[in-house]
Amino acid sequence: WKTDLVPDAFRAWCESWSTFNPDWDRQMWSDRRLLEFVAEHYPEFLDLYCSLPSGVMRADAGRYMLLHHFGGLYADIDTECLAPLDVIADETRVVLSLEPSTHWQPIASQRGLPHLIFNGIMASPAGHPFWLHVLGLMQKNREARNVIDATGPCLLTAARLSFSDPSAISLAPSTLFNGRDKEGNEPDGRAGGQRLALHHWAG
């Protein structure tokens, strides 16, 4: 979030992650903490990070670095945990999920992408090379000014499609982390069965 203080509207959703996963360490990342983290642990990307023209872009870039450094699970402030994360706790792959299918058109087709990957909730082992691949692609694409192309779902999707080891990434249906679209519909039903979280599209 922008500050260290979680707004009331998001507090219950944030706390849901600890409710279902009491043994996990949960950290809240503000703009200030994220900048300090990048400066300390990823100085080679600090210039790129600071040059991004919006807070949303910096939040996108920062989450990729957090996952590379710490591993674990990243979740946006407007996401709610629905079940324990035990099923992915020992996963050795990066765990990503699709955006709801209603978000693919026309965005994905205009860019020649087969789908879009959701970047509001992602899980990973620490040190996974995929995240450096994402950051390298972001560096090459630094002139892009549209959030989804520069740092968001289109960049993440392109990174997954161009990564040298596709078997190192688990791509789940949208229902795993994000079953509802921005209109509140569930376009993909219960595809895949597993449902761990829900994005409320309120951030």
Side-chain angles (χ1 to χ4, degrees):
W1 186 243
K2 300 179 182 72
T3 68
D4 295 317
L5 183 64
V6 177
D8 290 341
F10 302 119
R11 188 165 291 119
W13 295 333
C14 290
E15 291 175 355
S16 70
W17 294 93
S18 294
T19 299
F20 282 104
N21 306 280
D23 296 331
W24 286 50
D25 174 49
R26 177 168 60 92
Q27 295 191 37
M28 174 71 186
W29 290 90
S30 65
D31 288 356
R32 176 190 56 80
R33 282 195 72 203
L34 201 52
L35 176 60
E36 292 172 352
F37 166 80
V38 174
E40 179 178 356
H41 296 287
Y42 294 88
E44 68 273 30
F45 293 110
L46 183 61
D47 175 68
L48 170 66
Y49 181 83
C50 291
S51 72
L52 293 169
S54 73
V56 174
M57 289 183 182
R58 289 187 290 278
D60 281 346
R63 69 191 64 182
Y64 305 139
M65 296 182 218
L66 289 171
L67 283 166
H68 181 259
H69 183 76
F70 292 108
L73 182 137
Y74 168 87
D76 277 349
I77 195 172
D78 60 345
T79 60
E80 178 184 6
C81 188
L82 303 178
L85 301 172
D86 298 349
V87 294
I88 61 171
D90 297 324
E91 180 62 75
T92 59
R93 299 170 294 175
V94 170
V95 179
L96 304 172
S97 71
L98 296 171
E99 289 261 0
S101 56
T102 48
H103 293 179
W104 297 2
Q105 300 294 337
I107 294 171
S109 61
Q110 287 174 347
R111 291 159 174 80
L113 299 172
H115 50 248
L116 287 180
I117 295 176
F118 179 53
N119 76 337
I121 304 175
M122 303 171 287
S124 176
H128 198 288
F130 174 69
W131 302 113
L132 295 181
H133 177 66
V134 173
L135 293 168
L137 196 60
M138 190 184 305
Q139 187 84 267
K140 292 177 183 176
N141 201 35
R142 66 186 302 164
E143 298 305 314
R145 286 298 175 259
N146 186 315
V147 174
I148 61 173
D149 294 319
T151 60
C154 289
L155 175 89
L156 187 62
T157 304
R160 185 251 173 183
L161 292 170
S162 60
F163 189 55
S164 60
D165 183 9
S167 67
I169 303 170
S170 171
L171 183 59
S174 66
T175 48
L176 182 69
F177 290 145
N178 187 28
R180 292 184 192 162
D181 65 15
K182 293 178 181 179
E183 306 303 320
N185 301 313
E186 297 187 5
D188 305 315
R190 290 279 176 173
Q194 193 78 45
R195 178 167 291 198
L196 297 180
L198 183 64
H199 188 201
H200 290 280
W201 301 101

